[in-house]
Amino acid sequence: MPLERTFSYDLHGLVTIRLSARCGRWRARMLDAKLSALSAGPAGAADVEMHVGTFLPEVPESATVIDKDFHVAPDYVYFRGARSGGATEVRGLEADRTVIRHDPYPESPLRRITRGLRGVNMYLEPAIAWRLRRLGGYLAHAAAVGRDGGALLIFGTNGAGKTRLALELCLGHGASLLGDDLVVLREAEALGFIEHPAVLSARAAAVAAGRAPRARPVRVGLNVMLRRGGAADAPRTAARAPIVAAVLLERSLAGGPATIEPAPPEEVWACAMALERLELNKHQRRHRQVTNFGRFLMAYEYAFPHGRVFADMLLGPSPMPAWMNVPAWRCRLGERHDPALAGRVDAAWRRVAG
Amino acid sequence: MKRVEQEFSLHDFVTMRIRDTIGLSDRLFMRPMRGYVHHRVDSLPAPPDIDVRIGAFRFADRPVRRIDRRFLVAEDYFACRDTYKILSWQVEIAGWDSDRVAVRIDRNVFGTAAIGSRIIDCLVRYVLNLRGCPAVHACGVVNAGGAYLLSGRSGVGKTTLAMRLVERGCRLLGDNWIILRGGVAYSLHLPVNVLDYNVSGGFRARMPRRLRLDMTLKKLARKLSGGYLKKSTPLVLRAVFPDLAAEQAPLRKVLTFSQGHDFRIAPLPRRDGLGRLLANDMMDREAFYRYMLAYSAVYPDSPVAGHWRRLGEHLAAAIAPEVQFLDVVVPGKVTPEIVRRVAAVTE
C-alpha cells in the first residue's frame, strides 16, 4: 500500500499550494514536476489543495445533478467520471480554501505511465488561476524572459513557438527564464513559474540542438522520474521582473521569414485572454469521460447563476490592466523555424528596455 | 451518387441552402437535410444567409494562422479537420463575421451523422443570434395560445415531459431548440428524437408501424449493449402528426429543469433564469464551440467572440419581464404525478 505523499509550495507569497497523492515515490515526483521549482510552502492547510487518488465523494443531500454527471451544491461540484476513474470533486470555489480531489483518468497502456498528470494539469492550474484572479493577478499561458531592464512576455497558442523563442533568448542572448509555459502577472510584474529542472534542461538541450522542444507527456514523465539532466544544462532562471514588453506569436502555414510588426497592447492582451478561455475549454475529449474545468464552472453557473467565477473566467472580455500598456508586437511565424527571429525580438526588446 | 439541393427558411429570420451528394451509404444515416425538412421551401427570393456545400474540397489558399496545432484561422475564415471516434470531417467556414456564411463540409461515411447536429445546427443558431433571434435549448409546448418552454440539459426529461403534455392536449412547438424574438417563441422543428420511454401507450399507438418497429429495435440494442448504444428514432412531426405541430406563440413561462433528490417547482428570479439559459447554451460539448473559441483567440473583437455576451443581451430583450421563470427539480424518472404537476403549471 503506497504512502500518501504531500508536497507544499508557495507561489511568490500569493497562493499556497498543496499536492498530495497516494502513489509511489516516482509517480509522486512526476506529478509535482510542474510545481517542484517553486519555493517550499508552509505545512498544514493551503489555499489550493489537490489530492490525487481514489476517494469517496461526500455529495450533499441537496445536490442537483446537471448534465447527468455533475452533482452541484453550494460551493461544491462533483464530476462523476467514467467506470474506472476521472471522478473529481471541487470544494470551495468561492470560499477561502479550494480543495480538489481527483481520481486519475483511465488511459491507454502507454499513457498509464503518466497516470494522474493529466488531471493535475487540467484542474490545479485553473484553480490557481482563479485564486490569483481574486488577488488581482493572472496566470497566463505565456513564456517570460527577463533581463536587468525588465521582462518580455511571449504570448501565443499551443505550438506557436513560445518555449523555443524563450529558450533561444536565454541561451543565445543572455536573458534569464521566468517561465516557459506559465507565468504569473500581477501589479506590473511577471513572477516566475519554473518547471522541474529535468524538464527545462531537456527542452534547452533540444533548442540548442536546433530541434523543437516539444516532448510527449510520457517522455517528460520519464525524464522527471529518472531525474535526467542536471542543473548544468538548465538555463538561467530568475524570480521576478517588471513587465516592459509583450510579443504575440502566430504561426501561419506560409513559408518565408518571420515578420514582426508593432501592435496595440490592447489587441495582444485580448488575444491572450481569449487563448486562456480556449485553454479552459480544451480538454474535452471522450464523451462524458474526460472533462475540463470550464465545464465545472458552467455546471456551477447553471445551478447557481451569476457566480463571479463564471463571469470572470469564461465570459469575455477581460479589460486590460493599466500596467499592461507596454510596447507590444505581433509576430507572424512560418511553418519552418526562423533562427533569426530571436535576434530580431531581442533587438526590439533592447530598444525598449535598454 | 445523386446531387441534391434544398432550401430552407426559418420563419424568414434565416435562410439556408444545403447542397449534398447522396449515395447508398447515406441512406443508412440521417442526412443533414432531413433535419430541417419542416422548414423547407421551394425557392428563395434572395441568396441564402447560410450556404452549405457538402462534398470533397480543398482548403482555400488564404494566409491562415494555425491555432492549437489544428485549427486554421484567417480573416473571416475558419477551417479544420476534426474527428470524433469513427466520425471524421473537414469543415471550412467563410463569412461568419459578415452577412453571408459559406460553409463547405467533407466527411467520411460515418461522419454524415455528425455534421448535421454538430456543425449545421450550431451554425444556424449562431446566425440566428447574429440576427437578433436567440435560439434556446428547450422543448416548447403550446397550450391555450401561450408557449411554455421546458429548458434544461440533455437527459433531464424535457422530451419525455413534452411528449406527455402533447398527449394531454398541447401542441408541440419544438423538441430541441426554440427561437425567441420580441416575446414570441417560434418553432425550430427538427425531428423529435423519441426513445421508447418518451412516449406512452396512446401516442405510440398512433405512430406509424415503421417508427414503432424502429423504436423497439433501438430499445433492444440499448438493452443488449448495456446502455452504450443509445439511439433515438427521429420523428418528423409534419409528416406524421401535422396537427400537433405549432409554429409560434407568445411566450408565457420558462421552466428550467435539473435533476435532484425530490420533485420541486419553485419560482426563479428573472436574472437567474436568464443566467441559466445562457449557461445551458455554453454547456453543449459541440466541436463548433471550440471552433468559435479558436477563432476568437485570433480576432477577439469579432462578432464570433462576442457571441455569448450578445446571446445574454438578446435573451434579456426577447423574454418580456412578465414571463415567469420556474425552477423545476426532477428526480430520476418522470412519473405521472410529476406530469400532472407540470401540466398544472402550463395551463
Side-chain angles (χ1 to χ4, degrees):
Chain A
M1 186 65 182
L3 287 180
E4 172 132 353
R5 293 159 208 282
T6 308
F7 305 91
S8 303
Y9 299 106
D10 181 7
L11 186 60
H12 296 280
L14 298 170
V15 180
T16 42
I17 306 160
R18 189 164 81 150
L19 176 67
S20 60
R22 185 181 292 280
C23 54
R25 185 167 25 127
W26 286 13
R27 184 176 301 283
R29 226 185 270 163
M30 174 197 67
L31 285 182
D32 93 316
K34 205 147 208 159
L35 305 168
S36 57
L38 296 177
S39 53
D47 292 331
V48 180
E49 285 184 28
M50 178 151 185
H51 176 85
V52 178
T54 347
F55 65 96
L56 207 61
E58 292 141 18
V59 186
E61 273 290 321
S62 58
T64 13
V65 178
I66 310 289
D67 215 5
K68 293 179 258 188
D69 291 321
F70 292 92
H71 299 250
V72 184
D75 224 16
Y76 176 92
V77 183
Y78 170 62
F79 172 71
R80 182 201 71 148
R83 269 169 296 205
S84 42
T88 310
E89 182 198 74
V90 177
R91 235 179 240 280
L93 265 179
E94 304 189 307
D96 279 336
R97 240 180 97 209
T98 309
V99 177
I100 307 172
R101 295 201 282 174
H102 173 71
D103 190 8
Y105 285 104
E107 307 270 16
S108 61
L110 187 61
R111 281 196 81 135
R112 251 177 244 154
I113 301 175
T114 57
R115 201 160 168 264
L117 193 62
R118 186 203 278 220
V120 170
N121 286 338
M122 260 172 39
Y123 296 117
L124 193 54
E125 262 173 58
I128 299 174
W130 167 237
R131 205 104 321 244
L132 277 170
R133 293 254 177 148
R134 291 170 64 170
L135 299 168
Y138 298 88
L139 184 68
H141 278 86
V145 288
R147 213 181 269 150
D148 291 334
L152 170 75
L153 302 177
I154 307 172
F155 295 106
T157 175
N158 288 324
K162 307 190 290 284
T163 307
R164 198 163 189 176
L165 179 62
L167 287 172
E168 279 180 352
L169 285 171
C170 289
L171 297 173
H173 301 270
S176 47
L177 188 70
L178 287 166
D180 69 328
D181 197 23
L182 293 170
V183 68
V184 177
L185 310 173
R186 187 173 182 258
E187 282 176 8
E189 270 197 322
L191 308 170
F193 203 122
I194 318 270
E195 292 192 44
H196 197 275
V199 174
L200 274 188
S201 50
R203 287 182 185 160
V207 168
R211 285 176 288 125
R214 185 183 176 207
R216 294 175 158 274
V218 175
R219 177 163 276 222
V220 169
L222 277 176
N223 274 341
V224 174
M225 277 203 250
L226 304 173
R227 284 222 179 117
R228 278 204 208 127
D233 300 337
R236 205 168 40 161
T237 59
R240 56 176 69 200
I243 301 172
V244 295
V247 157
L248 177 70
L249 299 182
E250 288 161 341
R251 192 165 285 277
S252 72
L253 287 188
T259 56
I260 306 182
E261 63 228 8
E266 291 86 13
E267 223 176 85
V268 171
W269 179 256
C271 286
M273 286 297 111
L275 281 170
E276 293 300 316
R277 280 194 286 282
L278 178 62
E279 289 288 319
L280 207 53
N281 281 298
K282 203 173 60 140
H283 288 271
Q284 178 71 41
R285 290 261 189 266
R286 299 191 239 154
H287 180 69
R288 289 177 68 188
Q289 287 183 22
V290 184
T291 190
N292 51 50
F293 198 73
R295 297 186 53 84
F296 274 72
L297 301 181
M298 291 180 209
Y300 193 73
E301 167 75 6
Y302 187 91
F304 307 104
H306 295 287
R308 294 176 297 156
V309 198
F310 181 79
D312 268 359
M313 293 194 78
L314 274 186
L315 286 180
S318 332
M320 185 180 80
W323 40 261
M324 265 305 294
N325 201 1
V326 293
W329 299 276
R330 241 185 145 123
C331 232
R332 178 102 36 116
L333 312 175
E335 277 285 310
R336 294 188 157 276
H337 172 64
D338 186 5
L341 176 69
R344 293 164 64 187
V345 171
D346 187 48
W349 181 20
R350 272 185 211 272
R351 255 181 275 129
V352 168
Chain B
M1 300 292 274
K2 194 170 61 149
R3 283 211 189 180
V4 186
E5 175 176 327
Q6 289 186 358
E7 274 143 1
F8 309 93
S9 163
L10 300 169
H11 301 277
D12 288 331
F13 299 145
V14 167
T15 52
M16 177 165 64
R17 174 170 65 194
I18 306 184
R19 281 180 271 191
D20 196 359
T21 44
I22 307 286
L24 192 58
S25 56
D26 295 311
R27 297 188 190 278
L28 297 173
F29 302 96
M30 184 165 124
R31 297 194 295 271
M33 289 184 277
R34 232 195 273 167
Y36 289 91
V37 72
H38 186 99
H39 300 279
R40 191 170 163 203
V41 293
D42 288 324
S43 68
L44 288 173
D49 296 322
I50 309 176
D51 189 3
V52 182
R53 270 182 293 173
I54 306 177
F57 69 96
R58 250 184 245 256
F59 289 144
D61 209 359
R62 293 210 204 183
V64 287
R65 279 165 253 211
R66 199 184 269 278
I67 299 290
D68 215 359
R69 292 193 184 97
R70 79 187 70 181
F71 306 121
L72 305 174
V73 174
E75 179 82 43
D76 216 4
Y77 176 89
F78 178 89
C80 83
R81 212 168 269 141
D82 209 349
T83 56
Y84 176 71
K85 295 184 184 173
I86 53 174
L87 321 174
S88 88
W89 61 90
Q90 191 178 322
V91 65
E92 179 193 271
I93 306 172
W96 56 355
D97 269 350
S98 52
D99 231 14
R100 307 215 177 287
V101 189
V103 185
R104 312 199 60 174
I105 310 180
D106 187 18
R107 76 280 185 269
N108 69 353
V109 165
F110 306 101
T112 319
I115 53 182
S117 60
R118 281 167 210 277
I119 300 176
I120 299 182
D121 280 4
C122 296
L123 191 59
V124 163
R125 291 187 311 257
Y126 166 72
V127 177
L128 277 170
N129 191 32
L130 271 186
R131 302 267 188 276
C133 326
V136 185
H137 191 56
C139 289
V141 293
V142 172
N143 197 1
Y148 300 89
L149 297 192
L150 313 171
S151 88
R153 298 301 304 155
S154 47
V156 82
K158 305 192 302 284
T159 310
T160 312
L161 265 173
M163 284 291 132
R164 298 275 192 270
L165 290 174
V166 164
E167 283 161 26
R168 282 171 158 258
C170 303
R171 287 188 302 152
L172 190 69
L173 194 59
D175 178 55
N176 250 320
W177 294 88
I178 307 288
I179 307 175
L180 298 175
R181 182 175 163 130
V184 179
Y186 296 87
S187 65
L188 187 56
H189 273 295
L190 304 176
V192 181
N193 289 329
V194 284
L195 290 151
D196 49 288
Y197 52 78
N198 281 342
V199 290
S200 67
F203 200 85
R204 197 184 305 204
R206 286 172 58 188
M207 280 172 65
R209 201 181 312 169
R210 186 176 61 84
L211 289 177
R212 274 206 304 261
L213 180 64
D214 197 48
M215 255 174 25
T216 319
L217 283 178
K218 286 180 172 161
K219 173 183 177 183
L220 192 63
R222 197 174 75 236
K223 291 275 170 38
L224 286 179
S225 65
Y228 186 70
L229 290 176
K230 195 170 171 191
K231 297 263 160 242
S232 54
T233 312
L235 174 71
V236 178
L237 273 182
R238 190 161 97 163
V240 179
F241 300 112
D243 51 318
L244 289 181
E247 288 301 316
Q248 64 184 64
L251 187 60
R252 295 274 158 79
K253 290 185 191 170
V254 177
L255 285 75
T256 52
F257 282 80
S258 41
Q259 270 187 307
H261 206 238
D262 307 306
F263 178 68
R264 190 189 62 176
I265 303 186
L268 196 64
R270 177 184 157 90
R271 213 172 137 255
D272 286 359
L274 291 173
R276 268 210 189 161
L277 290 179
L278 186 60
N280 202 359
D281 190 277
M282 287 193 83
M283 276 198 91
D284 284 336
R285 288 177 218 98
E286 302 304 341
F288 191 78
Y289 286 175
R290 275 204 298 280
Y291 303 166
M292 288 173 69
L293 280 175
Y295 183 84
S296 45
V298 183
Y299 300 104
D301 301 319
S302 57
V304 177
H307 168 74
W308 280 288
R309 197 176 24 87
R310 219 177 325 116
L311 182 66
E313 290 162 17
H314 286 325
L315 279 176
I319 301 182
E322 305 86 55
V323 171
Q324 199 188 1
F325 282 89
L326 293 169
D327 173 28
V328 183
V329 179
V330 175
K333 276 200 179 300
V334 173
T335 58
E337 165 67 29
I338 294 176
V339 177
R340 212 173 322 133
R341 294 272 297 272
V342 173
V345 164
T346 61
E347 289 296 276

